[in-house]
Each structure stands twice: as structure tokens, then as C-alpha cells.
Amino acid sequence: MTLTQAGTRGFRAYTAKHLDELLQRAGYDTETRLRIRAVASVLPFRTNGYVVDELIDWSDIPGDPIYRLVFPQEDMLPESDVSSIAALLRSDAPAAEIQAAANKVRMTLNPHPAGQMELNMPRVGTEPMPGVQHKYPETVLFFPKQGQTCHAYCTYCFRWAQFVGEPDLKMASDDVQGLVRYLREHPRVTSVLITGGDPMIMSAPVLRRYVEPLLALDQLESIRIGTKSLAYWPGRFVTDPDAADVLRLFSTVVESGKNLAFMAHFSHPREMEPELVQTAVRAIRDTGAVIRTQAPLIRTINDRPEVWERMWRAQLALGMVPYYMFVERDTGPQDYFAVPLARAYEIYRDAYARVSGLCRTVRGPSMSATPGKVCVDGVAEVAGRRVFVLHLIQARDPSLVGRPFFAEYDPSAVWLDDLRPAFADRFPFETGASDAARPPVTPGGPPGRP
Ligand SMILES: *Cc1c(COP(=O)(O)O)cnc(C)c1O
Ligand code: SF4
């Protein structure tokens, strides 16, 4: 299928029910296919014709980074879980039995990391607002109901729980008027980040219903759209029937005097190579929107400095602004994808050292953890001790932002929980034992107070 055909024929989605056929085409034997399907019964699988035909190099699987980005691997989950679900699949067990086994494994995978459900959901009076997260005073995240899927799913996705159809695990809203009311009650909020899933899965008229009501709010400086559409479905901005309508909406935001920040998720430089992506980037930039880029650092996909160097350079050349390098979160198959913090820092630094200052807008490696975004600034010898130097880029408690702190060096640490404070008995964001029972403070005041 050629690029133009992919665009004019529309969106061809592959889901779990096509997985066996795709794996067969790729030449996998029956047993391996069963094991990969076992993983896909736990973690969501979805891809599309563009990713399969234009991005994946099928002569290089399973090493191909884009293949690894969307196709589950048989060793991504504990071997005993994979074997027992593969056995159910082999014996054609009833769907409900497979579902139950898959759910059991899911619950061991920390579906909602960093207190997303309990700590970040704001309340109006005593009513929680599902589909809204407010962690840092100036930014509210909104999860539009129709945007809770993606053009393809990343195997490392930390939002995977959104996609597996467990209503208890979902957060989504279609109450844009409720969002507007909440924002009016919280005048410190200057930025709304529309996220998912991928909001660019929504048609232009639906997206417009969410975006336009926000334009009347003077307090908002920026509206962000978090999306991987440029990597997974660039035709969204070029060949889709409503591409022009989407671009007009972006122009409307810019003309209203607000920054439309298009937060593009790119995992690998390969994703920027197709002509169609470059055309899409130009079209988006022509609306006055600013494209910023971010991605997590993932073992076996982008865990070499050369990859990040190429990625940031390609982004700069196309007029995009590198923004964040994240550490893979402690959820889903984290054991499989984790890169130790010490190594993550080296990869970041080695790539950073080789790019122009114009690319050094990027920050990281950053952990989106419960207290905030924790950046690993480096490894140093202080008073004869080897330590990590860290700081909070964002914090639940803004008074902690930008203050350096230390943790004992640990070459195998992969997440904040693995770190122990150095030169102190606790981290700055840790409350004392006597504070532990205090309820979390929601941004803008305690629960029930606007
Ligand atoms: C990253 C993040 C934001 C945005 O932070 P910026 O540093 O402004 O990009 C907002 N809310 C949550 C929950 C986040 O994780
Ligand atoms: S595009 Fe983002 S939300 Fe969608 S699967 Fe990938 S990481 Fe998850």
C-alpha cells in the first residue's frame, strides 16, 4: 500500500483479532504466536496500515524499533503468566476464562501509577471529577471521552489501563462545561492539556466542541494537545477528510491569542522520515501552533544516545522543539523496558552534548512520580560519597521546584522508589512520620474548597 492510498482509503486498524495473521505473515511459528497473543490478552494491542506498511522494517524483526514499539514480545511479562494464558489459548478456553486470567495479571502491573486516581482527581464539593487531573497548580489535564484510544498502541504505554476495557480503571469525561466551571474557580490554571489516549483520534467537530469553550477563558495562556498522531497517522493533518478542518481549529486557537502547544510524542527518528510526516509538520506549523516533542527512554527501542541525537536533530530541522525525555514509568511491563537511572542520565548527557543549543530546550531524564517530575541531573562525588543529583521540575508542592537534592548512587535503580536519600534522612518531598496521616491537599485548596 502506498502512502497516498493509505490516506485516501482511510484508516486501516489492526486489533488483537488480526494479530495472529500479522505474526503469521512475519513468519512466527505456532507456539511463539500463542505466547505473543497471550501477552496481547493482558496488554492492549492495536496498530494500523501506515505503521505496518510504512514504518516497520519487516526484514529486521524482532529487532526493528518500530516493530517493538507496537508489537508485544513474548518475554514482556513473567514467563509463568505467559505460559498459563498461552495454555488457555491453545485449548480454546472460553473467552471469559481468558479475560479473568488476563485481569489477574493486569492487577499485578500497577495500572494507575503515581497516584493518578486518588491524588490527582479534583473535586467539586465532595464530587470527584473523572476525566480531569490537577496535579500542578498551573496545568489541568483533561481526558475527553472520545479521545481515549490511539492510532496505534505503544507496548510501553503507561496509560495502558485506559485501553483494556475495565471501567474502574478508566478516566474520561465529556463534560466540557464542568471543566470550564472548574477552571473559572481555579484562576491560577493557565494551561489545559488535552490528552488521552490520543485526542487526535477525534474528528475535527468533536475536538472543536472541547477546545472552543476554552477560548473564552482569559486566564488560559496555552492549550496543549498531547498526541502521537504525527508518528502513527500523519495523514491526520494531510489526507484525512477533515484535515483542513483540524488545521482551521488550530488557527482559531492561535488567533484567539493563546499558544496552541502540540505536544508530539516521537519515540524514534525513523518516525520522522516519511515525506508525509514532514508535510504534516509544515501544515501544523503554518497554523501558528508550536510543536514540542517528548518521549520516554525505552530499553530495546531508543536506549542509545545516537538515537536521541538523531531524533532531536531531525525535530529541530523540521522546526519542532525538543521538550522532555521521560523515564519509563513504574507500570505495565516496566521490568522489561526499564533503563537504570544512571544509564538514562548517560544517554541523555551524551546525546545532549552532541546537539546544537537550539535542541537543548529538552529536559530529562525525568520521572513523573507521585511528588512531581523528578529530573536526574547527574552523578557526582560529594564529600567522598557517590550520589545522584536530582531536582523537581514540577512538584505537587511548588515550593520544592528547582531545589537540588541527593540520593545514594545505585547503579540498578530504575525509579524514584528505588532511591534512598543521601546527606538527609528523608527526601524534601517526604513528609515526617507525624504528617503521614494528613489527607492529600488538592491543588488550589483542600477538598471541598474552590
Ligand atoms: C507533566 C505534567 C504536566 C505538565 O507539566 P509541564 O512541566 O508544564 O509540561 C501537568 N500535569 C501532569 C500530571 C503532568 O504529569
Ligand atoms: S500514543 Fe501515548 S497514550 Fe497512546 S499508546 Fe502510545 S504512549 Fe500510550
Side-chain angles (χ1 to χ4, degrees), residues 120 133-136 138-141 159 191 193 224 263 294 323-324 326 329 363 368 373 393-394:
N120 297 354
Q133 283 189 27
H134 192 184
K135 180 171 181 179
Y136 309 126
E138 72 284 357
T139 305
V140 159
L141 269 52
R159 294 265 166 75
S191 189
L193 168 54
R224 312 189 209 186
M263 310 303 290
Q294 53 191 21
Y323 190 59
Y324 272 132
F326 293 118
R329 294 203 193 207
R363 290 159 308 158
S368 295
K373 283 188 167 64
I393 298 173
Q394 279 287 7

Side-chain angles (χ1 to χ4, degrees), residues 302-313:
N302 58 19
D303 55 344
R304 287 181 301 126
E306 299 75 28
V307 172
W308 288 85
E309 177 192 350
R310 270 169 55 212
M311 188 148 69
W312 292 337
R313 288 189 159 176

Side-chain angles (χ1 to χ4, degrees), residues 398-416:
S399 73
L400 300 176
V401 169
R403 299 180 192 277
F405 61 97
F406 303 98
E408 299 292 351
Y409 179 73
D410 174 352
S412 61
V414 298
W415 193 249
L416 189 62

